[in-house]
């Protein structure tokens, strides 16, 4: 296959695969929380806040003297991370203090983040194409620094989940009971949103900010069709994400089909298929389990 | 010194109102009563009478605007670890990917350390709590596959998991069929030997037969021994709203719309021996 042949000569292709694996891990861990907590669109608005941060990062980095392309890339990455985390903070703060309808708030921040990004990019000559690669993803060219950045994000997510899974799950199940158990629900919510912000930033290279929601939620939701506990859901979501970020890309390599769009379409197809086949698969699993039980 | 345990709940001139100015629309007005150790108290009253508010005050989720609430001799927030709270089962989202054991383990969360999983001691305690409500066989089932009565048992097990001294239940019989309700009542009766139980209910039929004492709550609270509950007590409590809600003499009892209005009258009669 030409993909594997080219991988030997072009290290960026390998980086692309690595980026996919790291993003898969992050998505698989956080996605189940996102759908259980019903914060899919909140995550979407954080993604669009991140785009505002990309605009600001590129603008600030490019306006400095002697700015290199690499510096601008770094600026975009940090801008995205900072804006996404700030977005998470802002949502928590406004939702708790101002008692605004969450739905309205999500819409407002979604649009504001997007327009800040577009405005600032218009002011920055020569980087419009770069910005588009964040919106729609560009898995073909992934530099080493970005891989390091994603490794750090994946580690932070792993550590936080290992430390806090019980607490996050409790808040997902029953906020009031969690509070009675001495859990600070507001803090857990904030941490969850910050994790989402990190996943969004780590995913933007793989599928782009606009399609982040697909990888964050579809594999987790697909897993949720077939298992009824959080940890198996995470494991299946991780595996599905890995399949979805590698398979379609290798399949469309060398054709004119963009790998990012193909990834998301595949995720959507798998989700819809799983939704349709939920009952047959459940029966099949039940039969297999029954046979094992008797043996 | 007196060696008898402190009252499970002591309310002293408690006032509470939602809204901007605390005293403008009080939900609770000068509520004073106490619940002794091993009591089995039912709180009944019309909707909006302050039943749930009173529970929240006892849990420290709300603070009284005037007066004092103490639970097991402590402030409500400090007593939380020793209080089990059972919400209405309908309030729990059943689509959450969690097994019954996961739900019950939540009751141990306040006692457990950081980390992704509960230790074996916590799991043993959770299984033990499921055993106490006779639902051990449900441990690995997903919540969504349970009936209303089973869910209510699971929530009681969760409240029992941390070995509380006081159990607070919010409408435990709501949405549960009569047969299930009876076994639930037996269970509470059994638990009452070891701990104090306070339950909110608008199911007045429950009241006279199983409870030790009844607090009638409609902004103000009056506590009766369960045997004393008769038509006059109930109509005093419900007087205004009852006339207002009861719009139709042939409205069926099963109609939720007139449930509030019809139920107390019927029960009031049966409690005094005049009923069918």
């Amino acid at each position: 296959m030409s993909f594997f042949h080219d991988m030997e000569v072009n290290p960026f292709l390998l980086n692309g695969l690595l980026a996919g694996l790291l993003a898969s891990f992050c998505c698989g861990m956080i996605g189940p929380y996102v759908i259980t907590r019903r914060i899919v669109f909140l995550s979407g608005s954080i993604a669009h806040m991140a785009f505002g941060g990309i605009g600001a990062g590129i603008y600030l980095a490019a306006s400095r003297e002697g700015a290199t392309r690499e510096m601008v890339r770094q600026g975009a990455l940090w801008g995205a991370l900072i804006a996404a985390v700030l977005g998470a903070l802002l949502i928590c703060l406004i939702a708790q203090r101002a008692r605004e309808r969450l739905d309205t708030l999500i819409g407002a921040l979604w649009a504001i983040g997007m327009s800040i990004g577009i405005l600032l990019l218009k002011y920055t000559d020569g980087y419009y194409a770069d910005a588009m690669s964040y919106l729609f993803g560009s898995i073909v060219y992934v530099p080493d620094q970005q891989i390091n950045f994603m490794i750090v994000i994946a580690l932070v997510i792993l550590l936080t989940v290992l430390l806090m899974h019980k607490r996050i799950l409790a808040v997902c199940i029953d906020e009031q009971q969690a509070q009675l158990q001495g859990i600070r629900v507001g803090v857990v919510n904030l941490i969850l949103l910050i994790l989402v912000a990190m996943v969004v930033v780590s995913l933007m290279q793989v599928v782009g900010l606009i399609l982040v929601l697909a990888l964050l939620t579809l594999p987790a939701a697909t897993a949720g069709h077939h298992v009824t506990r959080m940890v198996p859901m995470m494991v299946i979501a991780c595996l599905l994400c890995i399949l979805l970020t590698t398979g379609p890309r290798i399949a469309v390599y060398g054709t004119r089909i963009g790998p990012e769009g193909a990834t998301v379409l595949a995720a959507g197809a798998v989700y819809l298929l799983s939704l349709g086949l939920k009952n047959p698969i459940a029966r099949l699993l039940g039969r297999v389990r029954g046979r094992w039980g008797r043996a | 010194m007196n060696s008898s345990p402190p009252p499970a709940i002591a309310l002293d001139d408690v006032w509470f109102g939602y809204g901007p100015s605390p005293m403008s629309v009080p939900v609770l007005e000068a509520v004073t009563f106490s619940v002794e150790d091993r009591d089995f108290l039912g709180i009944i009253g019309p909707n909006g009478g302050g039943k749930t508010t009173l529970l929240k005050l006892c849990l420290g989720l709300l603070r009284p605007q005037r007066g004092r609430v103490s639970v097991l001799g402590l402030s409500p927030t400090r007593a939380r670890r020793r209080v089990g709270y059972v919400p209405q089962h309908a309030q729990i989202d059943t689509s959450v990917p969690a097994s019954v054991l996961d739900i019950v383990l939540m009751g141990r969360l306040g006692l457990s350390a950081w980390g992704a999983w509960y230790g074996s001691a916590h799991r043993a305690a959770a299984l033990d709590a499921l055993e106490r409500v006779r639902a051990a066989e449900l441990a690995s089932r997903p919540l969504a596959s349970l009936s209303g009565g089973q869910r209510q048992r699971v929530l009681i097990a969760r409240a029992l998991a941390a070995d509380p001294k006081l159990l607070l239940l919010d409408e435990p019989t709501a949405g549960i069929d009569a047969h299930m309700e009876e076994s639930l009542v037996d269970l509470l009766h059994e638990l009452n030997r070891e701990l104090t139980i306070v339950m909110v209910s608008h199911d007045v039929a429950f009241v006279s037969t199983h409870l030790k004492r009844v607090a009638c709550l409609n902004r103000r609270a009056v506590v009766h021994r369960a045997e004393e509950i008769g038509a006059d007590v109930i109509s005093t409590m419900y007087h205004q709203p009852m006339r207002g809600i009861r719009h139709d003499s042939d409205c069926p009892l099963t109609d939720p719309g007139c449930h509030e209005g019809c139920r107390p009258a019927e029960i009031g009669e049966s409690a005094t021996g005049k009923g069918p």
Side-chain angles (χ1 to χ4, degrees), chain A residues 36 38 161-167 169-170 172-174 176-183 228-231 233, chain B residues 56 59 61 80 85 92-93 95-99 102-103 106-107 109-110 112-118 142 158:
Chain A
T36 309
R38 295 165 202 264
V161 170
L162 280 180
L163 219 60
M164 298 203 44
H165 172 68
K166 269 188 300 199
R167 284 165 168 71
L169 181 64
C172 287
I173 295 172
D174 182 349
Q176 192 175 52
Q177 189 71 27
Q179 190 186 350
L180 291 175
Q181 292 291 330
I183 304 304
T228 52
R229 294 192 66 207
M230 198 63 113
V231 174
M233 208 165 147
Chain B
K56 285 187 173 168
L59 290 165
L61 293 172
R80 266 182 198 167
Y85 172 62
I92 306 292
D93 178 4
S95 67
V96 169
S99 67
D102 288 331
I103 308 269
M106 250 189 96
L109 187 58
S112 72
W114 291 82
W117 290 282
Y118 293 90
R158 178 175 74 177

Side-chain angles (χ1 to χ4, degrees), chain B residues 44-47 51 88 171 173-176 181 200-206 234 237-238 241-268:
Chain B
I44 61 170
N47 278 341
K51 295 178 305 239
Q88 289 186 36
E171 304 270 6
T173 54
I176 290 177
E181 181 176 322
V200 157
S201 178
H202 64 244
D203 188 354
V204 195
F206 194 83
I234 287 172
M237 175 178 56
Y238 279 87
M242 214 170 112
R243 293 198 96 101
I245 297 164
R246 189 179 206 175
H247 42 268
D248 199 346
S249 60
D250 59 8
C251 83
L253 271 175
T254 48
D255 181 356
C258 60
H259 182 76
E260 284 303 304
C262 302
R263 221 48 200 272
E266 180 226 10
I267 299 315

Side-chain angles (χ1 to χ4, degrees), chain B:
Chain B
M1 288 297 283
N2 194 346
S3 63
S4 71
I9 297 175
L11 300 158
D12 183 19
D13 190 31
V14 170
W15 289 66
F16 186 86
Y18 298 94
S21 146
M23 297 301 174
S24 59
V25 198
V27 177
L28 297 174
E29 218 177 283
V31 172
T32 302
F33 67 86
S34 64
V35 182
E36 295 309 317
D37 189 44
R38 306 291 158 86
D39 201 347
F40 191 169
L41 175 89
I43 302 177
I44 61 170
N47 278 341
K51 295 178 305 239
T52 304
T53 304
L54 194 67
L55 278 192
K56 285 187 173 168
L57 284 166
C58 294
L59 290 165
L61 293 172
L62 297 172
R63 285 166 183 280
Q65 275 139 351
R66 228 169 81 183
R68 236 175 78 83
V69 180
S70 79
V71 177
L72 302 166
L74 303 165
S75 76
T77 14
R78 292 187 58 194
R80 266 182 198 167
R81 290 270 160 90
R82 305 167 67 194
V83 177
Y85 172 62
V86 184
Q88 289 186 36
H89 73 87
Q91 285 175 2
I92 306 292
D93 178 4
T94 54
S95 67
V96 169
S99 67
V100 163
L101 188 61
D102 288 331
I103 308 269
V104 178
L105 276 168
M106 250 189 96
R108 303 286 300 181
L109 187 58
L111 303 169
S112 72
W114 291 82
W117 290 282
Y118 293 90
S120 54
H122 293 303
R123 300 179 79 83
L127 284 170
D128 194 45
L130 274 171
E131 199 81 57
R132 278 174 87 180
V133 301
R134 291 188 291 278
E137 74 283 0
L138 301 178
S140 59
R141 294 259 298 269
L143 194 62
S145 70
L146 307 186
S147 71
Q150 287 172 322
R151 275 175 210 165
Q152 199 67 64
R153 273 171 193 269
V154 169
L155 294 183
I156 294 174
R158 178 175 74 177
L160 291 174
D163 220 0
K165 296 274 169 286
L166 167 66
L167 201 58
L168 301 177
L169 302 99
D170 192 358
E171 304 270 6
T173 54
I176 290 177
D177 62 53
H179 172 69
M180 272 306 217
E181 181 176 322
E182 213 175 284
S183 71
L184 199 68
V185 169
D186 290 342
L187 171 67
L188 290 177
H189 228 73
E190 210 179 292
L191 292 172
N192 184 223
R193 274 186 233 136
E194 289 151 38
L195 41 89
T196 316
I197 298 181
V198 173
M199 56 174 276
V200 157
S201 178
H202 64 244
D203 188 354
V204 195
F206 194 83
V207 164
S208 43
T209 44
H210 299 287
L211 302 175
K212 290 181 183 159
R213 292 195 310 152
V214 176
C216 298
L217 189 67
N218 191 2
R219 278 216 321 234
R220 291 168 170 277
V222 185
V223 181
H224 303 269
R225 295 214 333 268
E227 308 86 81
E228 293 167 5
I229 297 289
D232 51 334
V233 169
I234 287 172
S235 64
T236 316
M237 175 178 56
Y238 279 87
H239 59 285
Q240 279 293 12
M242 214 170 112
R243 293 198 96 101
I245 297 164
R246 189 179 206 175
H247 42 268
D248 199 346
S249 60
D250 59 8
C251 83
L253 271 175
T254 48
D255 181 356
C258 60
H259 182 76
E260 284 303 304
C262 302
R263 221 48 200 272
E266 180 226 10
I267 299 315
E269 280 158 20
S270 65
T272 49
K274 279 179 276 176

